[in-house]
Amino acid sequence: DGKKWEFTINFNDWGLSASIKSGGVEATEWYARVPDIEGTWRMVSHCGMENYLSAFGVTGEQAAEMMSGSYSEFFTLTRLSGGKIKYLTNSKQLPAEFLVKIGETYSLEMVGFGTIEGVLTELKDTIIQVMKLGGKTVKLTEKISGDFMVSEYVVNGNRASAMKTIMSRD
């Protein structure tokens, strides 16, 4: 119809914005960069897990069993519409399937630990979660780089309880 269209697209490290004009109509769109989390993840390395578990009173044989079992666990993450993430896992402590909506409180049962209540958000290549579990607060930061995820857990802000894990995507 001969109408002139104007597009202005700005890219940066955090995503992009697009301004569109045609005739008397104007529109703006924003797209945020979010971490590439989809796929099946398995732990390949950890350090400080003894301290992390100890912060929850898990020691000795129970801690040793949980640490050795962590290498056989998997987590399959799928993005769904509406800002939801679907988790599938074979973990003995977590439900086999659960949904989390970004920016909203979630709640789930963790075998042997009780109810976890938490919230997560994401930006660029990082997911940040804060969880309340067993009367303690856990900060979890997950940074994704290619097919690797480096996670750090800290209980009640105490660096002595810190645990780091590295997971690899299948």
Side-chain angles (χ1 to χ4, degrees):
D1 64 359
K3 288 185 183 176
K4 179 180 165 186
W5 286 74
E6 293 179 38
F7 289 90
T8 304
I9 300 175
N10 295 306
F11 293 90
N12 64 38
D13 288 344
W14 307 104
L16 71 88
S17 63
S19 298
I20 306 159
K21 295 178 184 178
S22 177
V25 178
E26 294 184 25
T28 305
E29 301 175 62
W30 295 273
Y31 296 90
R33 291 187 194 268
V34 294
D36 177 14
I37 59 170
E38 290 200 288
T40 299
W41 298 88
R42 298 175 196 277
M43 186 180 308
V44 293
S45 181
H46 66 76
C47 63
M49 191 178 286
E50 306 87 355
N51 300 330
Y52 176 77
L53 292 172
S54 178
F56 291 100
V58 178
T59 59
E61 190 174 312
Q62 184 184 11
E65 183 180 316
M66 289 179 80
M67 287 187 289
S68 66
S70 65
Y71 288 109
S72 62
E73 294 178 348
F74 69 82
F75 296 86
T76 300
L77 281 63
T78 307
R79 285 191 184 275
L80 303 176
S81 63
K84 294 179 184 170
I85 301 172
K86 178 180 174 182
Y87 290 77
L88 298 175
T89 182
N90 67 342
S91 171
K92 292 178 182 177
Q93 282 76 41
L94 295 170
E97 180 177 333
F98 56 97
L99 291 175
V100 172
K101 185 168 182 180
I102 297 164
E104 291 188 6
T105 302
Y106 63 86
S107 181
L108 56 98
E109 289 297 315
M110 187 168 183
V111 175
F113 291 91
T115 302
I116 295 176
E117 187 174 73
V119 66
L120 69 85
T121 190
E122 61 184 351
L123 186 60
K124 204 173 169 186
D125 60 357
T126 304
I127 295 174
I128 299 171
Q129 290 191 60
V130 174
M131 300 170 280
K132 292 193 175 277
L133 169 64
K136 301 183 187 296
T137 301
V138 178
K139 177 186 167 201
L140 168 57
T141 304
E142 299 171 303
K143 186 170 175 71
I144 293 94
S145 179
D147 286 333
F148 298 96
M149 180 186 303
V150 178
S151 303
E152 181 178 43
Y153 301 72
V154 179
V155 180
N156 287 342
N158 182 350
R159 298 291 307 156
S161 70
M163 168 178 69
K164 286 198 171 191
T165 65
I166 298 176
M167 298 181 93
S168 177
R169 185 176 4 217
D170 287 354

